[in-house]
């Protein structure tokens, strides 16, 4: 019946959006509140479903959920009826022996051990654990984390509980969010959560490691990157705060059987007992859910959700206490996990939390957002208190491994925001943390540790960059970004010999944004490759249109060091563009900046050779504007040098500038390299270049960058 209902939902979705791309996601529905079937709405929902729906939407998909028919993820991977499967902790091998590929982490899910009234457990490496068969992928991850652990798999939760009560296993292991639902069952009131044994696992989507699977996962990763911690916390809170559990007949008999036997004679007493037990049970369940949502399972400090609520509470109750909020993390925490082990990293985090709690009062709060990121609300006590915190907390954390005989010093970066008077009236915790994060990033960027106080100008700049970077895809989709062309001219003949493709942005809210502003912002955010791909594609579209009109043109496009970093096979990418738009290699000239060759010389030299092998002309852009060695010209096989005349516009001797240019032109000719001068702004500069032997030029004296319609007219 459940599968039929899911098919009805899918049919309804398909009929409403036939033109969109669908992603079939196979999920279990026995893991409330991670995945479950909402009978009222007729859909599969849950924390995992909502996060995947949001990520898929950002990646250009409509997620359609289908109930897993197989007993475990290994079997499900071999079913071609699913595009991706959830949930994975890490990549596994399918039942038929095929490898899988998994997405980035959607959310860190806390896993918890449950026992029968037992608190003293063996070490994790010696533990006998029961898990659901459908958690086979997670079981493999646990075995990797704890070699020696004995895991038994059961088909259902009742079978797991029966094995636990019979002593066949020491404990049961499952997602804490699922336990918050399962343990509401009255017949499981003898089961107890063991918080000391908690740890977290990743929550990912997976597919077979095929070209299609890799493409889907790569697209999903772009959507996952857009999900904020606030979104994730909101989804978790939404599903864990609902009253999802419904009693069955067994529950009622277990809970009220004794009272039913008493019968009508004590009906009044029975009613009172029922009401009181229901209230107590409801309060107990709410407290359990609150603990799971508001507390970090690893360290015991507040979660992001709990920290946010506690800060609002403290600022409201104590408007007379001066507070500050700090955002703290460990530099290169991944190095610690990779080299010392995840257990060592977890122990470090628990040590940090415990030392922080020792020095904090009830009017202060500490929370762990995720990973090694801690946030603290601390009353201001002057430099003496900060010095004490350094000695009693931060220095101890820095020397944690050194004190244990390992030559690893922990570096910590902290950003501090002083709570302002207006923050007490209407506390916006996320805004205050964003400010502290800006200051923390400044410390991290200095390659040092320590702390830095927030600077409001940093916040405004960061907000502007966020607005620009976050709007990039919309700008591409809505054609706010335009490719303009700056003509390149032979000064002797007056002929337009080519053009350089440049980008202009007419933002819907900010208006025209200069390239000198939006390009560095996109480079810092790691999004410049997406913009450059758009420019290259548009240039190729224009070149094909001109070819169809019988006009053979060539255009120079810019390739940055960031593009090479994001696409190691950039040569194949440009070859694919030529095939797609039926162009010849001489129509697309590749400009690479001089400084890029200096910073990544070996990689860039190999790419240059690869481009030239396929017939592309490669130009060294901005030659003369940087401080690179002339030795690069000996090693780099370029076809043309773009000589930058901007260094002539500053103060200095004009005759010396002429001598420098004359030498550059002479050197290029002796090396057999073509030459074009850019930044030509006056007739005097143009005539001087001609006299010295350089006739190809580009600059404002001839033309500024032009929209494509105006460029076509000349």
């Amino acid at each position: 019946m459940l599968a039929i209902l899911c098919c009805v939902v899918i049919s309804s979705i398909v009929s409403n959006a036939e033109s969109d791309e669908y992603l079939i996601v196979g999920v279990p529905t026995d893991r409330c509140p991670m995945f479950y079937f909402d009978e009222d709405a007729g859909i599969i929902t849950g924390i995992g479903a909502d996060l995947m729906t949001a990520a898929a939407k950002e990646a250009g998909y409509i997620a359609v959920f289908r109930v897993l028919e197989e007993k475990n993820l290994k079997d499900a991977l071999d079913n071609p009826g699913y595009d991706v499967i959830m949930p994975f902790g890490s990549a596994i091998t399918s039942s038929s022996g095929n490898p899988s590929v998994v997405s980035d982490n959607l959310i860190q899910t806390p896993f918890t051990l449950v026992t029968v009234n037992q608190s003293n457990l063996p070490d994790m490496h010696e533990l006998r654990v029961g898990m659901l068969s459908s958690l086979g992928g997670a079981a493999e991850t646990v075995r990797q984390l704890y070699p020696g652990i004995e895991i038994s798999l059961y088909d259902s939760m009742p079978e797991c509980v029966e094995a636990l009560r019979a002593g066949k296993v020491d404990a049961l292991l499952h997602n804490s969010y699922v336990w918050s639902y399962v343990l509401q069952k009255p017949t499981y009131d003898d089961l107890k959560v063991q918080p000391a044994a908690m740890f977290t696992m990743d929550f990912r989507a997976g597919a077979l490691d095929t070209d299609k699977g890799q493409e889907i996962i790569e697209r999903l990763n772009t959507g996952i990157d857009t999900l904020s911690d606030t979104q994730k916390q909101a989804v978790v809170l939404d599903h864990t705060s609902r009253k999802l559990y419904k009693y069955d007949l067994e529950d009622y008999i277990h809970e009220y059987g004794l009272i039913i036997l008493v019968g009508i004679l004590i009906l009044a007493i029975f009613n009172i007992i029922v009401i009181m037990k229901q209230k107590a049970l409801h309060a107990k369940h709410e407290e359990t859910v609150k603990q799971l949502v508001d507390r970090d399972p690893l360290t015991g400090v507040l979660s992001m959700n709990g920290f946010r609520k506690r800060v609002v509470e403290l600022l409201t109750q104590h408007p007379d206490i001066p507070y500050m909020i700090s955002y703290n993390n460990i530099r290169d925490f991944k190095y610690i996990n990779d080299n010392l082990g995840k257990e060592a990293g977890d122990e470090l985090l628990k040590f940090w939390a415990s030392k922080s709690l020792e020095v904090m009062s009830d009017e202060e709060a500490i929370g762990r957002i995720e990973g090694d990121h801690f946030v603290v609300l601390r009353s201001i006590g002057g430099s003496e208190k900060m010095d004490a915190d350094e000695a009693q907390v931060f220095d101890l954390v820095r020397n944690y491994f050194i004190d244990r005989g390992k030559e690893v010093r922990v570096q910590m970066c902290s950003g501090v925001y002083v709570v302002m008077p207006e923050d007490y009236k209407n506390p916006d915790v996320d805004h205050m943390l964003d400010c502290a994060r800006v200051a923390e990033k400044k410390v991290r960027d200095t390659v040092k540790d320590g702390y830095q106080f927030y600077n409001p100008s940093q916040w405004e700049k960061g907000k502007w960059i966020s607005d620009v970077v976050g709007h990039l895809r919309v700008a591409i989709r809505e054609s706010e970004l335009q490719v303009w062309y700056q003509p390149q001219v032979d000064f002797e003949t007056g002929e337009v010999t080519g053009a350089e493709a440049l980008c202009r942005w007419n933002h819907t809210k900010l208006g025209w944004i200069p390239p000198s502003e939006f390009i560095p912002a996109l480079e810092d955010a790691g999004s410049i490759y997406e913009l450059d791909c758009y420019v290259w594609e548009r240039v190729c579209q224009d070149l094909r249109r001109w070819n169809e009109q019988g006009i053979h043109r060539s255009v120079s496009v810019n390739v940055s060091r960031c593009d090479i970093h994001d696409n190691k096979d950039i040569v194949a990418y440009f070859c694919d563009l030529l095939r797609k738009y039926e162009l010849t290699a001489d129509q697309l000239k590749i400009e690479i900046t001089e400084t890029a060759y200096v910073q990544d010389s070996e990689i860039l030299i190999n790419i240059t050779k690869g481009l030239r092998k396929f017939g592309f002309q490669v130009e060294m852009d901005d030659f003369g504007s940087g401080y690179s060695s002339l030795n690069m010209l000996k090693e780099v096989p370029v076809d043309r040098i773009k000589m930058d005349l901007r260094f002539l516009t500053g103060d200095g001797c004009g005759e010396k500038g002429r001598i420098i240019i004359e030498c550059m032109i002479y050197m290029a000719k002796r090396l057999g390299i073509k030459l074009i001068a850019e930044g030509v702004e006056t007739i005097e500069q143009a005539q001087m270049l001609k006299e010295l032997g350089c006739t190809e030029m580009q600059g404002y004296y001839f033309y500024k960058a032009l929209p494509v319609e105006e460029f076509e007219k000349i």
Side-chain angles (χ1 to χ4, degrees):
M1 181 63 181
L2 182 59
I4 294 174
L5 288 170
C6 289
C7 290
V8 171
V9 174
I10 294 170
S11 299
S12 173
I13 294 173
V14 172
S15 65
N16 289 331
E18 294 180 355
S19 63
D20 292 319
E21 189 172 359
Y22 297 95
L23 185 72
I24 306 302
V25 185
V27 298
T29 54
D30 61 345
R31 302 189 192 178
C32 184
M34 298 305 294
F35 296 104
Y36 62 94
F37 188 80
D38 187 337
E39 295 181 357
D40 295 331
I43 59 172
I44 295 173
T45 185
I47 296 171
D50 284 3
L51 292 175
M52 172 54 71
T53 297
K57 181 179 179 183
E58 291 295 331
Y61 289 118
I62 292 179
V64 178
F65 296 94
R66 182 176 293 169
V67 182
L68 288 178
E69 301 172 353
E70 296 76 14
K71 288 185 178 181
N72 55 59
L73 295 181
K74 288 189 171 185
D75 292 341
L77 275 171
D78 291 323
N79 186 343
Y82 314 115
D83 293 323
V84 294
I85 310 295
M86 293 180 69
F88 283 79
S90 60
I92 62 174
T93 302
S94 74
S95 295
S96 61
N98 295 314
S100 65
V101 59
V102 295
S103 71
D104 290 343
N105 191 21
L106 279 158
I107 188 174
Q108 283 191 322
T109 55
F111 267 62
T112 311
L113 290 173
V114 166
T115 63
V116 179
N117 292 323
Q118 181 179 346
S119 57
N120 295 322
L121 290 173
D123 183 79
M124 288 293 292
H125 297 278
E126 302 173 355
L127 201 63
R128 297 177 303 156
V129 173
M131 297 179 68
L132 289 173
S133 297
S134 59
L135 287 171
E140 287 195 8
T141 302
V142 174
R143 289 190 181 101
Q144 294 172 6
L145 291 173
Y146 303 101
I149 193 170
E150 181 181 336
I151 299 179
S152 301
L153 300 178
Y154 302 94
D155 291 336
S156 66
M157 184 58 71
E159 291 180 20
C160 289
V161 175
E162 181 180 354
L164 177 63
R165 288 171 172 165
K168 296 179 180 179
V169 295
D170 300 316
L172 303 180
L173 180 63
H174 210 313
N175 186 311
S176 293
Y177 300 132
V178 176
W179 282 133
S180 69
Y181 169 82
V182 171
L183 295 185
Q184 294 182 54
K185 188 174 180 64
T187 54
Y188 293 167
D189 58 2
D190 59 330
L191 305 184
K192 304 298 180 183
V193 177
Q194 297 294 320
M198 291 180 178
F199 63 96
T200 59
M201 290 183 64
D202 292 345
F203 192 84
R204 307 170 183 264
L208 285 180
D209 191 4
T210 62
D211 290 344
K212 178 183 177 183
Q214 291 177 3
E215 179 185 357
I216 291 173
I217 294 302
E218 287 176 3
R219 283 183 60 179
L220 279 178
N221 286 343
T222 64
I224 293 171
D225 287 344
T226 65
L227 300 182
S228 66
D229 292 337
T230 302
Q231 283 180 272
K232 296 177 184 179
Q233 292 291 338
V235 170
V236 171
L237 184 61
D238 178 39
H239 287 281
T240 53
S241 61
R242 299 183 188 180
K243 298 179 179 64
L244 299 173
Y245 186 79
K246 297 180 181 179
Y247 278 28
D248 57 22
L249 180 60
E250 179 188 9
D251 295 330
Y252 283 111
I253 293 175
H254 176 84
E255 193 74 0
Y256 311 117
L258 182 61
I259 300 174
I260 293 174
L261 292 176
V262 174
I264 300 175
L265 295 177
I266 54 172
L267 183 59
I269 299 175
F270 170 79
N271 288 335
I272 295 173
I273 294 174
V274 169
I275 293 171
M276 294 190 64
K277 286 184 72 71
Q278 285 181 330
K279 287 183 177 180
L281 188 62
H282 178 70
K284 178 183 176 182
H285 293 162
E286 285 194 340
E287 181 62 27
T288 300
V289 171
K290 181 180 178 182
Q291 287 295 321
L292 289 170
V293 174
D294 290 350
R295 287 284 169 183
D296 172 53
L298 177 66
T299 62
V301 300
L302 295 169
S303 65
M304 181 61 200
N305 183 70
F307 181 78
R308 187 184 292 110
K309 291 192 293 187
R310 182 58 176 159
V311 169
V312 171
E313 183 180 292
L314 288 173
L315 294 185
T316 304
Q317 292 177 354
H318 305 286
D320 55 329
I321 297 179
Y323 280 112
M324 60 184 181
I325 280 186
S326 64
Y327 183 94
N328 316 268
N329 77 13
I330 294 173
R331 185 189 299 280
D332 295 331
F333 185 66
K334 185 176 184 299
Y335 168 85
I336 294 174
N337 279 336
D338 291 346
N339 289 273
L340 302 181
K342 187 176 183 300
E343 289 186 6
D346 288 347
E347 290 302 318
L348 172 63
L349 297 180
K350 289 190 283 188
F351 178 81
W352 184 1
S354 66
K355 289 302 175 184
S356 298
L357 290 171
E358 288 178 6
V359 301
M360 295 176 64
S361 69
D362 293 339
E363 286 75 38
E364 297 171 320
I366 179 173
R368 177 179 175 231
I369 298 178
E370 64 175 1
D372 58 315
H373 300 268
F374 283 78
V375 288
V376 177
L377 178 73
R378 196 92 159 99
S379 61
I380 298 175
S383 59
E384 292 183 0
K385 186 172 184 179
M386 296 192 73
D387 291 342
D389 285 349
E390 282 287 311
Q392 299 173 28
V393 179
F394 290 102
D395 285 345
L396 296 178
V397 175
R398 291 187 181 100
N399 296 320
Y400 177 80
F401 292 114
I402 294 176
D403 293 341
R404 287 156 180 78
K406 299 175 182 177
E407 294 300 319
V408 176
R409 188 175 189 274
V410 178
Q411 288 191 314
M412 307 183 69
C413 304
S414 303
V416 182
Y417 172 78
V418 177
V419 180
M420 306 302 290
E422 56 269 21
D423 295 321
Y424 289 86
K425 300 175 183 177
N426 186 24
D428 185 343
V429 180
D430 291 328
H431 172 73
M432 289 185 278
L433 286 177
D434 283 341
C435 294
R437 188 183 287 110
V438 169
E440 181 273 332
K441 185 178 184 300
K442 185 176 180 181
V443 177
R444 186 156 31 95
D445 290 344
T446 62
V447 197
K448 298 178 181 178
D449 68 351
Y451 62 88
Q452 181 72 259
F453 281 91
Y454 163 71
N455 183 341
S457 64
Q458 290 177 311
W459 167 250
E460 294 302 325
K461 180 181 178 182
K463 186 176 183 299
W464 183 88
I465 292 175
S466 177
D467 289 341
V468 170
V469 174
H471 191 69
L472 176 61
R473 292 182 182 175
V474 175
I476 292 175
R477 186 171 63 248
E478 301 298 331
S479 298
E480 293 178 19
L481 286 161
Q482 303 171 19
V483 175
W484 288 20
Y485 296 94
Q486 186 171 30
Q488 297 170 340
V489 178
D490 186 321
F491 185 58
E492 280 189 330
T493 65
E495 177 188 1
V496 174
T497 58
E500 179 182 1
L502 301 169
C503 190
R504 297 294 182 264
W505 190 342
N506 188 8
H507 197 287
T508 52
K509 295 180 180 179
L510 305 176
W512 287 99
I513 308 176
S516 59
E517 294 182 7
F518 71 77
I519 288 178
L522 294 175
E523 287 178 338
D524 290 342
S527 300
I528 193 67
Y529 177 65
E530 186 173 359
L531 172 66
D532 285 344
C533 285
Y534 168 75
V535 172
W536 302 334
E537 192 91 16
R538 288 302 302 271
V539 168
C540 290
Q541 292 170 4
D542 287 339
L543 286 171
R544 181 174 65 178
R545 179 166 50 81
W546 294 330
N547 284 347
E548 291 170 351
Q549 296 170 358
I551 305 171
H552 190 85
R553 290 192 173 105
S554 66
V555 173
S556 299
V557 296
N558 289 283
V559 174
S560 71
R561 182 169 55 90
C562 299
D563 297 329
I564 306 299
H565 179 271
D566 287 350
N567 185 352
K568 297 295 189 297
D569 201 3
I570 198 80
V571 176
Y573 184 90
F574 280 112
C575 289
D576 289 341
L577 283 178
L578 293 187
R579 285 190 291 269
K580 179 178 179 181
Y581 293 101
E582 300 177 344
L583 306 175
T584 56
D586 65 302
Q587 291 187 270
L588 204 61
K589 297 179 180 178
I590 312 300
E591 293 188 10
I592 305 176
T593 60
E594 175 195 27
T595 52
Y597 282 108
V598 176
Q599 295 169 341
D600 298 292
S601 58
E602 184 176 350
I603 295 174
L604 266 296
I605 290 171
N606 290 334
I607 288 174
T608 299
K609 291 178 179 178
L611 288 168
R612 298 184 76 225
K613 177 182 176 182
F614 287 97
F616 292 98
Q617 291 189 37
V618 181
E619 303 175 349
M620 182 183 286
D621 191 16
D622 292 341
F623 185 77
S625 64
Y627 300 93
S628 65
S629 170
L630 292 176
N631 186 55
M632 290 304 301
L633 285 179
K634 177 172 64 72
E635 301 180 12
V636 180
V638 296
D639 298 284
R640 185 163 76 162
I641 291 174
K642 292 195 76 174
M643 183 171 56
D644 192 340
L645 295 191
R646 284 174 292 182
F647 73 91
L648 292 179
T649 59
D651 296 334
C653 177
E655 180 59 26
K656 288 183 179 179
R658 176 188 174 92
I659 294 172
I660 292 172
I661 293 173
E662 183 177 4
C663 292
M664 291 169 66
I665 295 172
Y666 175 77
M667 176 181 60
K669 288 185 175 182
R670 287 296 305 272
L671 292 173
I673 302 175
K674 297 177 183 178
L675 193 69
I676 180 174
E678 62 177 335
V680 180
E681 299 182 352
T682 66
I683 181 62
E684 290 80 13
Q685 290 177 341
Q687 289 174 340
M688 177 190 69
L689 289 167
K690 177 185 174 183
E691 292 171 2
L692 296 176
C694 175
T695 59
E696 276 204 83
M697 306 177 195
Q698 173 185 338
Y700 281 9
Y701 171 69
F702 302 101
Y703 300 98
K704 295 183 179 181
L706 302 172
V708 63
E709 298 83 2
E710 295 184 28
F711 172 70
E712 290 174 343
K713 293 178 182 179
I714 66 167

